[in-house]
Amino acid sequence: MGLNKELMIVFVLLGPMVFLTLTIYGWDFYLQNITPKYLEQQRLRKDLLRKHCAGVNQSLFNLNNIDLNNLIVDDQHGIIYCYIPKVACTNWKRTLIALKQNEPYPDPMSFKSNMVHKFDRFRLLKHYSMPERKAKLKHYTKFLFVRDPFVRLISAYRDKMLNYDQYFYEGYVRVILQRYKNQKNVPVKYNGTKRTYLKPSFHNFVQYIVDPRTEKYAPFEPHWRQMHRLCHPCLVEYDFVGHQESLQEDARQLLKMLKLEDAIKFPPSYENMTSGNSVMEWFQGVPIEDRRKLYKIYEKDFQLFGYRRPTELLDD
């Protein structure tokens, strides 16, 4: 009898709390296994997307007309991941490759980066018929990770303009050097060496992006293409929006939501990651007119994903 009394007291005390939680978050709170703090964070991030997507025709029929190259499907676990270059995508791809193996899952870091980026390792949403796409988008857990747009751009510059390979040299670096650095006799072919005089400045890179001629030839390369153009958050209703700035904790919460937290660990962050604290330093050599043009190009990413307008870079 005493035990029953104690249980009744606990129920009376916890009942209103449970009811309040269900009222605010619904049964998904219990199904997703995410702590209230992070559930609230996700609610705010998704509310922001809905706010800035208001007025956009969100019919899934529009999926016929958009690029779905970045949506990876894991049928075994019911996951759709939209990867964004320069936002931890190598480690998320490693994690998805590990999940394709037999249990116990291998350490994601055992997969080398050159193996990770081979497209034949993944099935993309575009590979399915339209009815299959709609069913998966309705029933699978869809997630993406985003990053401060200017910090992502700096990271792309460091990786692809300063440490380029043949693809980036011949397709981008050479053009930038000729057009914005006025360099003559730039070698046509990449010979494997990265000489100082063959490296564009960050301002040269910005000039290339803000130049209207650039996208007349082809869309931006995915490493600096706007995040919303890669993942279409106004058409795809994402269940989880992670941020690079809180990568490790967001990854842990996502794996909890997927009920995989005990089965696999997300890899640790890269130590040489571009920091948001250095943005002002990088933009010192960029005239304010070009900074403002650049912001206009990435403004939708800033708004959709909750990054503040960098007034210290844009205002006189």
Side-chain angles (χ1 to χ4, degrees), residues 189-218:
K189 294 294 182 184
Y190 172 67
N191 63 9
T193 61
K194 299 178 182 67
R195 297 172 186 167
T196 304
Y197 78 94
L198 290 179
K199 291 182 179 180
S201 69
F202 182 62
H203 180 214
N204 295 151
F205 182 50
V206 170
Q207 286 175 296
Y208 169 75
I209 291 172
V210 302
D211 189 334
R213 293 175 294 175
T214 299
E215 284 214 287
K216 284 183 180 175
Y217 171 71

Side-chain angles (χ1 to χ4, degrees), residues 141-156:
T141 300
K142 304 165 291 295
F143 76 94
L144 78 166
F145 273 72
V146 297
R147 188 179 194 177
D148 178 287
F150 280 180
V151 178
R152 175 174 172 255
L153 197 65
I154 293 165
S155 180

Side-chain angles (χ1 to χ4, degrees), residues 15-241:
M17 190 184 304
V18 172
F19 177 76
L20 183 63
T21 303
L22 288 174
T23 302
I24 297 172
Y25 301 117
W27 283 104
D28 285 349
F29 168 74
Y30 291 99
L31 296 175
Q32 292 177 353
N33 194 30
I34 300 180
T35 58
K37 172 187 169 184
Y38 288 98
L39 203 67
E40 174 66 8
Q41 182 187 73
Q42 284 301 308
R43 186 185 69 78
L44 291 171
R45 289 175 182 177
K46 289 185 280 187
D47 281 353
L48 194 63
L49 287 178
R50 279 189 284 271
K51 173 187 170 185
H52 288 289
C53 290
V56 176
N57 182 358
Q58 293 177 294
S59 168
L60 290 180
F61 286 105
N62 288 338
L63 290 176
N64 270 328
N65 307 316
I66 63 170
D67 177 359
L68 298 174
N69 286 331
N70 289 57
L71 278 81
I72 296 173
V73 179
D74 175 354
D75 285 311
Q76 183 181 343
H77 298 94
I79 297 169
I80 295 177
Y81 164 52
C82 185
Y83 71 91
I84 297 174
K86 308 314 300 175
V87 192
C89 73
T90 300
N91 280 345
W92 276 116
K93 287 179 180 178
R94 283 183 171 122
T95 303
L96 290 177
I97 292 172
L99 288 172
K100 290 174 73 172
Q101 316 306 311
N102 295 326
E103 293 190 58
Y105 299 120
D107 179 358
M109 288 302 290
S110 63
F111 300 98
K112 303 300 180 189
S113 60
N114 61 336
M115 296 168 57
V116 167
H117 295 295
K118 290 181 179 176
F119 286 104
D120 59 358
R121 286 190 165 272
F122 301 105
R123 189 129 191 233
L124 303 178
L125 188 64
K126 69 176 185 178
H127 296 150
Y128 295 86
S129 68
M130 181 54 75
E132 288 176 313
R133 290 180 199 176
K134 290 180 182 177
K136 292 175 194 302
L137 285 168
K138 183 176 180 182
H139 298 292
Y140 284 12
T141 300
K142 304 165 291 295
F143 76 94
L144 78 166
F145 273 72
V146 297
R147 188 179 194 177
D148 178 287
F150 280 180
V151 178
R152 175 174 172 255
L153 197 65
I154 293 165
S155 180
Y157 167 76
R158 291 178 63 194
D159 188 22
K160 304 305 179 186
M161 296 292 111
L162 300 184
N163 295 300
Y164 51 78
D165 56 15
Q166 181 177 353
Y167 168 77
F168 281 97
Y169 175 78
E170 294 178 6
Y172 303 96
V173 171
R174 186 170 173 273
V175 173
I176 293 171
L177 290 172
Q178 289 177 321
R179 193 177 290 174
Y180 308 106
K181 215 169 183 178
N182 298 316
Q183 281 190 213
K184 310 298 181 190
N185 304 317
V186 178
V188 174
K189 294 294 182 184
Y190 172 67
N191 63 9
T193 61
K194 299 178 182 67
R195 297 172 186 167
T196 304
Y197 78 94
L198 290 179
K199 291 182 179 180
S201 69
F202 182 62
H203 180 214
N204 295 151
F205 182 50
V206 170
Q207 286 175 296
Y208 169 75
I209 291 172
V210 302
D211 189 334
R213 293 175 294 175
T214 299
E215 284 214 287
K216 284 183 180 175
Y217 171 71
F220 285 151
E221 206 282 335
H223 285 81
W224 50 87
R225 194 179 305 167
Q226 297 94 322
M227 295 181 286
H228 73 271
R229 289 174 63 188
L230 295 170
C231 291
H232 316 288
C234 292
L235 286 177
V236 177
E237 192 173 341
Y238 287 95
D239 301 291
F240 190 96
V241 180

